[in-house]
Structures are given as structure tokens and as C-alpha cells.
Amino acid sequence: MKTTLFRSCVFIALGTMFFSCAKDDAAVLESATNVSSQALNEAEQFAWFPTYKEVDPGKDASGSLNTPTEPRLNFPYGPDDEIPKRYPFKVIDKPDLGYVNETCLFDIADLERNKSYHKLQNGSLRIGFFDDGFEPIRLIKLPSSSESGWNAHWGTTPAVEQEKPDVLYYNTWNSRSIIIYLSKPCTEFGFEIAPNNKRSTHSFIVDVGDWLNDDSKGTVSVETKTPSGAALAAIKATKPFRMVRIWSIGSPTLPLAEGMAISNIRYTLAK
């Protein structure tokens, strides 16, 4: 029953998909809103300071902060009567040739800059972004190493694929997690990540599974910094999964990320 509920929630939220998978499929516009150019002014201590207002044309002309119109997703907890079994997995720490060749790139190059997105899709997969309260959120497409975008150097090879990639940015001041829902089961998922905070290193934890707070299919912790310290967080699982959760670690003794950017999203669909 719970399995049926889970599948229904995911497909209602993310919709139907194409059934072909092409390498390096380009993402297409899905639920975008304009972000003013003023929002992209550089702040001295930040890679990008989130002072923008997202306006849903025709519904709220005055604009408000982070108010997407997509429905909340009631993502179910795992079974109460059993402890989830943990399955073997492999952590991939560098985007080497083997990793690149066996995965599909979720290409964001054609997405419009300085717009925000709740859902993205390509020829084989749709992904949706939610916060840790399961409310839909939007990530902003920003050009890298640009005064009007992500103005810090991303990283160096072989730790990352490119030194100046376009990124998807999310303000984590109000939420320390991003939950990515996948319209199809995957066995491999990865991306490069960096914090907005330029003043210190920062750790992120990435879990993959099927339920809320489920890391049974794999988990990895990566240490990052900005500038020049983006890192790959990638997991190759032995069992399919539909959920990816990014945790931004923070405490009174650990500085907050104050926002995060991800790039070069890669995946392998389950067979």
C-alpha cells in the first residue's frame, strides 16, 4: 500500500516521461519565472546574494519571495514495522572517463539565464526540486565566473569537469536541504556542488533512497569551498532509487553554506 502511495505521489508531482535516453540530453524550460537583473548584483562576501523577488505573472503582481504555484508533495515515510535494509554502493569522487561515459548529462546549457526552475526535463528524465518541508522550490540558472551570475571560480580538473560551468543556485537561508525527485528509478546520480559562503570550507551530505530521510541505497559526504573548491558528489548504487537529498551541514560551531550551487548533473536510469 505504501509503495503504491509513493509511486502515485511521484508520478502526480512529476508527470509522465518519454521512454528514450539520449546521452547529454538538453534540459527544457519547465515552470520558469523571471528574476530581475538587480538581483544579480555582486555582494562583497558572497558568490551570489539572494535578494531577488520571484513574480508569478498575472497572479501576484507585487511579487513575493520564493512563492511557486506548484502543489506540495506529500512524500511518505518508510514502513514503521521494519528497519530499512542497507545496500552496497560506490562513491565516485572525481568525474573520470569511466563515470562520464556510463552516465547521461542533464544538460542545462540551453536554459535561459537568470530564470528560476522548479522542474526540468530532457528526453529521458524529469526532476523536481523541493525543500525539506516538501514544498516546491526554484533553482536559478546562473552563468559561472560572471559578474551577473555565479561570480566565483568553480573548480579545477580533475576534481570537476569544467572550470566555468553554468550552475543552478538555491538560497538555503530558510532551508538547509534540497530534495530532488526523479520521475524514473536511477542506479547512479551525481553532480558538482559548492557553497555560497566564501569565508570557509563547507560539508554537504547527499543521500539516495526511496523514502523520507532514506539513505539505504547510498550516502556520501563532500567537503567544498568557494572559490575554486567545488566537488563531485556521486553515488553508484546496486539498487534503484527515486530520491536524492542534499543536506547542508551547519551548527553554532560550523558556518552555514548560505546558499548552494550545483552543476553537471549526471544519472544512469535503472534497467
Side-chain angles (χ1 to χ4, degrees), residues 81-135:
D81 55 351
E82 62 182 69
I83 299 175
K85 180 179 179 180
R86 295 185 177 276
Y87 299 92
F89 64 93
K90 177 183 178 181
V91 171
I92 301 168
D93 58 4
K94 289 183 174 60
D96 58 22
L97 191 60
Y99 168 71
V100 170
N101 286 341
E102 70 184 8
T103 56
C104 294
L105 175 67
F106 207 108
D107 192 356
I108 64 171
D110 291 336
L111 296 181
E112 189 169 348
R113 293 180 174 185
N114 307 336
K115 283 196 173 184
S116 60
Y117 301 85
H118 163 58
K119 291 178 288 186
L120 298 174
Q121 71 175 38
N122 60 20
S124 59
L125 184 68
R126 178 177 291 180
I127 61 178
F129 304 109
F130 297 83
D131 66 16
D132 48 17
F134 319 115
E135 299 290 345

Side-chain angles (χ1 to χ4, degrees), residues 126-181:
R126 178 177 291 180
I127 61 178
F129 304 109
F130 297 83
D131 66 16
D132 48 17
F134 319 115
E135 299 290 345
I137 60 174
R138 300 180 189 273
L139 276 62
I140 303 173
K141 158 71 181 294
L142 295 174
S144 188
S145 298
S146 168
E147 292 184 0
S148 62
W150 184 262
N151 58 50
H153 183 249
W154 184 246
T156 56
T157 56
V160 295
E161 291 186 49
Q162 304 161 277
E163 294 195 15
K164 298 180 180 181
D166 289 345
V167 305
L168 294 173
Y169 172 79
Y170 177 58
N171 163 24
T172 52
W173 283 95
N174 297 320
S175 172
R176 295 184 182 178
S177 298
I178 295 177
I179 301 173
I180 304 175
Y181 290 102

